[in-house]
Amino acid sequence: MVAGGDEGSSNIFIPFEEIGEGDSEVADLLRRSADVLSKLQAFKGCGEYIREAITNPNPQTEEKAWDAVVPSVETLKGFYEFSLSVEKATTKLLKELCQGNPAQNLTNTGTHPTAKQMAQVFDFVVRFDDAKMTNPAIQNDFSYYRRMLNRMKLSNKKDKGIIVNDEMANSMSLFFAYPTPMMNTLIRTAQNLGTDGVSVDQICKFLAAFTNSCYSMVKQGKFTQTATNMLSLRTVTGAIILYDHISPKGVFTKKTPIHVKNAITVIKGFRDESTESLVSAIKFNTVHLGDPDTQPQVKALLG
């Protein structure tokens, strides 16, 4: 038996490059995730129109700003709705991966498609949140839309532009208020799984084994493709952040089952593609790094 987080989990090999697509619904979600990322990375916002409407307020400038921001908010609505699909998919994946002995599950070839899909979810989440954090236009556009919403409700000619009702607007505001909204979706999903019979302890055991396996596969040169290595490293990053949020003592204590120092060292040492954003994500998006019992070597690695 392989205990979650012990040295054995570093020897688990998951052949990401040879695994089929797994669950069809999750596979469809993952295919659509590429389009979501492309839209986010191309999102420019309506700053020019909004600035003009604020500095020179009149019916003409405000109408131009509204006409510009409506399709923008429609795109943001799509991001939020996609997060609900991510939540549903993650629930399904974690239920399978965390039952029984989570580390042992990762050694079973029948579970490998599910493990790969979980890695792809982490990959998407880390990339989405990285792009979102560097794009203030998202918050600016949605804030302006909310400010103008009540006024536009009174304008009959603009009824067609009200694409988000108050309830949806409140939910979207909460979603985009987080610097890392997709990771927050995973955190909430993991915390809510207790009602479905999957304990936080089981999830943490899975995350430990998965993290240790993924960083070790990169360290040992198991994959030749840069994309597969980056999939593994983003999985390590996302799993460390998720573990730190749901584990009461966090991921950085000396007794953590995740080999955090080794994992961060592998991330920082990867040369085929920049991993600076991954190191920053662990540094700034975890919550226990500043705790007194954080390993000094880990603090030194993260600067």
Side-chain angles (χ1 to χ4, degrees), residues 26 89-98 114 117-118 121:
V26 179
T90 303
T91 298
K92 179 184 292 187
L93 296 174
L94 288 179
K95 278 185 177 181
E96 180 175 346
L97 291 165
C98 298
T114 307
Q117 288 185 325
M118 191 67 240
V121 168

Side-chain angles (χ1 to χ4, degrees), residues 21 51 102 105-106 113 137 139 144 178 182 185 224 231 252 277 300:
E21 70 175 21
R51 282 192 296 272
N105 292 341
L106 291 176
Q139 288 285 72
Y144 183 78
Y178 286 95
M182 285 294 176
T185 296
T224 57
L231 169 70
F252 299 113
S277 65

Side-chain angles (χ1 to χ4, degrees), residues 36-219:
V36 172
L37 275 176
S38 295
K39 287 181 178 179
L40 174 59
Q41 290 161 350
F43 191 90
K44 301 300 182 185
C46 311
E48 181 180 344
Y49 293 101
I50 293 172
R51 282 192 296 272
E52 181 65 20
I54 291 174
T55 58
N56 183 25
N58 61 62
Q60 289 74 34
T61 59
E62 290 179 351
E63 183 169 331
K64 284 183 179 180
W66 177 259
D67 288 341
V69 86
V70 165
S72 173
V73 169
E74 191 163 15
T75 298
L76 298 182
K77 179 185 177 186
F79 295 160
Y80 169 71
E81 290 175 335
F82 192 77
S83 78
L84 301 180
S85 298
V86 169
E87 181 175 359
K88 180 180 177 182
T90 303
T91 298
K92 179 184 292 187
L93 296 174
L94 288 179
K95 278 185 177 181
E96 180 175 346
L97 291 165
C98 298
Q99 61 182 333
N101 185 325
Q104 190 68 42
N105 292 341
L106 291 176
T107 68
N108 298 330
T109 56
T111 310
H112 284 173
T114 307
K116 181 179 179 180
Q117 288 185 325
M118 191 67 240
Q120 291 171 311
V121 168
F122 275 127
D123 183 84
F124 165 75
V125 166
V126 171
R127 294 171 70 187
F128 182 97
D129 286 347
D130 182 55
K132 187 267 181 185
M133 282 194 295
T134 57
N135 195 335
I138 291 174
Q139 288 285 72
N140 293 342
D141 282 17
F142 195 65
S143 294
Y144 183 78
Y145 177 86
R146 295 211 72 183
R147 278 203 305 272
M148 295 297 293
L149 187 57
N150 287 332
R151 187 184 306 181
M152 289 302 173
K153 285 178 182 177
L154 302 176
S155 173
N156 291 330
K157 66 178 181 178
K158 286 297 173 186
D159 279 348
K160 63 179 181 180
I162 301 176
I163 56 171
V164 175
N165 61 29
D166 287 335
E167 184 178 357
M168 173 71 80
N170 289 335
S171 297
M172 288 174 63
S173 287
L174 289 172
F175 176 72
F176 288 113
Y178 286 95
T180 54
M182 285 294 176
M183 178 54 69
N184 187 64
T185 296
L186 296 195
I187 293 166
R188 187 180 65 250
T189 301
Q191 291 170 335
N192 289 341
L193 271 173
T195 59
D196 289 318
V198 181
S199 69
V200 167
D201 183 60
Q202 284 293 97
I203 297 171
C204 286
K205 286 178 180 177
F206 160 70
L207 293 173
F210 203 29
T211 302
N212 293 340
S213 170
C214 286
Y215 91 74
S216 296
M217 290 190 293
V218 176
K219 181 180 180 180

